[in-house]
Amino acid sequence: MKIVLMAVLAAAVAASFSACAQTNQTVPAVASVAATRMTTDSYINGRPAQVVYVGRAGACEAVSVKWTERRIEHFRVCDQEVSARNTVAPAWSDEPSTRLLLSSTIRNAVLYGEARQTDSNGYQYVARTLPAVSARCSNIEVIISYDGDLVDRALRDVCGKAGF
């Protein structure tokens, strides 16, 4: 009985150390993105992830980790202190009016370098021009968020005219 109890206790301690190791790898990645305000592709705990700078959320920086299995974790960084939000952002509605607003945000980013708009449901659309792929093409980072939590992020190549 004592051996079984010791094995269970050892497994619980190992699991808690494993959870701490995961957090310890996530926290520096989130803190770095908050400090640079630049999204990065990263490996956290040996798994690919995008660490996405979402923007300002009050006095804090909003950062989310987008895992390849379509799971997103949300964080706030306030005074260099990282805290998990433990929230789930609502799914974005892909209806014609929201698509038009998103398209308008992307066009404005092509023209002016960055654009930001909020729809009537509270979703914020941010698009930024990244360094050019070529003289005719731009990379646009598009972020959709709700209450500072990432809903979706994509990179889009825009070539030719600003209107599309």
Side-chain angles (χ1 to χ4, degrees):
M1 180 73 161
K2 256 187 175 181
I3 294 173
V4 172
L5 183 59
M6 291 298 281
V8 169
L9 183 59
V13 168
S16 67
F17 280 130
S18 174
C20 287
Q22 285 184 333
T23 300
N24 289 338
Q25 289 185 355
T26 303
V27 167
V30 168
S32 174
V33 166
T36 62
R37 296 180 175 177
M38 291 176 49
T39 296
T40 62
D41 285 338
S42 186
Y43 279 87
I44 299 174
N45 304 321
R47 295 178 18 221
Q50 291 179 339
V51 186
V52 180
Y53 179 72
V54 180
R56 296 285 297 169
C60 303
E61 304 296 339
V63 176
S64 294
V65 178
K66 185 177 179 183
W67 300 96
T68 55
E69 64 271 5
R70 297 188 180 265
R71 184 172 60 93
I72 301 174
E73 293 180 81
H74 310 288
F75 298 87
R76 292 294 185 271
V77 181
C78 307
D79 297 324
Q80 299 176 355
E81 184 74 28
V82 176
S83 58
R85 296 252 302 154
N86 300 316
T87 56
V88 177
W92 178 65
S93 173
D94 187 16
E95 51 195 49
S97 62
T98 57
R99 290 182 134 246
L100 286 171
L101 191 60
L102 178 59
S103 187
S104 168
T105 306
I106 294 168
R107 270 195 313 278
N108 286 329
V110 170
L111 292 170
Y112 306 112
E114 184 170 339
R116 170 180 323 265
Q117 296 188 56
T118 303
D119 72 16
S120 60
N121 296 317
Y123 290 91
Q124 185 174 55
Y125 307 93
V126 176
R128 313 178 194 19
T129 303
L130 301 176
V133 176
S134 69
R136 283 186 22 121
C137 298
S138 297
N139 274 330
I140 306 293
E141 178 184 41
V142 180
I143 294 173
I144 301 172
S145 64
Y146 185 87
D147 192 29
D149 290 344
L150 180 69
V151 174
D152 200 5
R153 176 198 182 257
L155 285 177
R156 186 164 178 180
D157 293 334
V158 178
C159 300
K161 298 179 183 177
F164 47 88

